[in-house]
Amino acid sequence: MKVFQTGIILASSLSITALLPSTNHETRSHVVTRMTPDDEQQSKSEELWGKPSSKAGEQNDMEMSKALPFVARPKLLDGTLPGDVGFDPLGFAGDDMDSLLYMREAEIKHSRLAMLAAVGWPLAELFDKQIATAVNAPDLLTKTGESPSLLNGGLDKINPAYWVLIVGISGLIEESADIKKKEDGKKYIMGDCGFDPLSFFPEDKIEKMNMQTKELKHGRIAMMAVVGFAVQEALYRVPVVAETPFFFHPIF
């Protein structure tokens, strides 16, 4: 149990920047024209963010990024996807819809792993030693009581059989998602692998959008939290449950 929990923590802490798709760089032709300083500034902005497409009856404020209202939104981020606020300063979304959907699928997967990790990381530091003592097994924390990771060390304590198990489970999940995608076709919802035992996902279209947005918001916060856990422990060599005990220990 503790091996499985610690492994999930490790896998999610290492996976935040994984699965970046390769993008094809196309040669674009430019027409040289005489520009005013304002035109040059607008051209630079459009080159960085992409010029959004205009739609009939669309208001001017819809052309601007919700996250950064002083710049135009990226051309592919038109608000149709859950959690889309027009924020992509590094251009991860790519130049085509296939790249955008690939990155959204990856974001959902990393969000779910990060939410598990944000809970599992401190729980492991709080209870790993007690569980190890109860089952007469060595604990998997570092010497200073931190969860094992590339930055903290301690990965040598993880049984290799665990990684084989994780790869196998991951393959089954990916296969399930691929089957679901083929079955649903255009109706496929990104991140849907057919797993909803508690029936949290609603039937109404608006509620579906709201639920997906909530999941992404929580996942993004969780990814930032897990990165914070790893960096904080790497710098101070103190478990997060000890560095910020008011979050993890009762006040009474």
Side-chain angles (χ1 to χ4, degrees):
M1 177 178 172
K2 66 183 176 57
V3 174
F4 182 76
Q5 181 188 62
T6 307
I8 288 179
I9 295 168
L10 174 64
S12 46
S13 66
L14 298 178
S15 65
I16 293 175
T17 58
L19 295 177
L20 296 180
S22 58
T23 56
N24 297 324
H25 299 280
E26 300 178 353
T27 303
R28 299 179 180 178
S29 60
H30 298 274
V31 178
V32 179
T33 58
R34 186 175 181 180
M35 295 183 178
T36 65
D38 291 339
D39 291 335
E40 291 179 357
Q41 184 66 28
Q42 181 180 358
S43 177
K44 290 180 180 179
S45 176
E46 290 176 358
E47 188 175 318
L48 175 62
W49 292 89
K51 185 176 180 180
S53 58
S54 298
K55 297 179 180 179
E58 192 175 42
Q59 298 179 355
N60 291 334
D61 58 355
M62 294 298 292
E63 299 290 342
M64 307 304 289
S65 167
K66 291 182 179 180
L68 301 173
F70 50 86
V71 297
R73 61 172 174 79
K75 57 184 178 181
L76 291 178
L77 303 183
D78 57 3
T80 57
L81 292 178
D84 174 14
V85 291
F87 183 79
D88 185 26
L90 300 181
F92 284 153
D95 297 325
D96 58 85
M97 187 57 66
D98 288 338
S99 296
L100 174 62
L101 297 181
Y102 179 90
M103 289 303 297
R104 170 47 61 89
E105 193 95 42
E107 182 183 27
I108 294 173
K109 292 174 182 178
H110 288 97
S111 294
R112 291 167 179 172
L113 285 172
M115 286 187 281
L116 288 172
V119 175
W121 188 299
L123 286 179
E125 294 179 346
L126 287 172
F127 301 112
D128 185 84
K129 290 185 177 180
Q130 292 91 319
I131 295 174
T133 301
V135 299
N136 195 27
D139 70 84
L140 300 179
L141 302 179
T142 65
K143 294 180 179 179
T144 53
E146 302 155 2
S147 292
S149 69
L150 283 176
L151 297 178
N152 293 340
L155 294 179
D156 55 310
K157 294 183 178 181
I158 307 297
N159 192 321
Y162 165 77
W163 301 114
V164 176
L165 176 64
I166 285 299
V167 170
I169 294 176
S170 299
L172 291 175
I173 294 175
E174 289 296 321
E175 181 66 19
S176 175
D178 189 58
I179 293 173
K180 183 71 172 175
K181 184 182 299 185
K182 292 178 180 178
E183 289 178 348
D184 292 352
K186 294 182 178 180
K187 295 182 180 180
Y188 173 71
I189 298 175
M190 284 171 292
D192 182 9
C193 55
F195 181 78
D196 186 20
L198 300 180
S199 300
F200 283 149
F201 201 53
E203 296 294 333
D204 182 72
K205 289 185 178 180
I206 296 178
E207 291 302 320
K208 283 183 179 180
M209 176 70 78
N210 292 336
M211 181 65 74
Q212 290 175 279
T213 300
K214 290 175 183 178
E215 181 183 32
L216 280 169
K217 287 183 177 180
H218 286 91
R220 289 166 179 170
I221 293 174
M223 286 188 282
M224 295 177 65
V226 172
V227 171
F229 289 171
V231 172
Q232 180 176 324
E233 293 190 352
L235 291 177
Y236 298 106
R237 295 300 174 186
V238 176
V240 293
V241 295
E243 184 71 17
T244 53
F246 47 87
F247 285 128
F248 307 105
H249 294 280
I251 59 176
F252 48 85

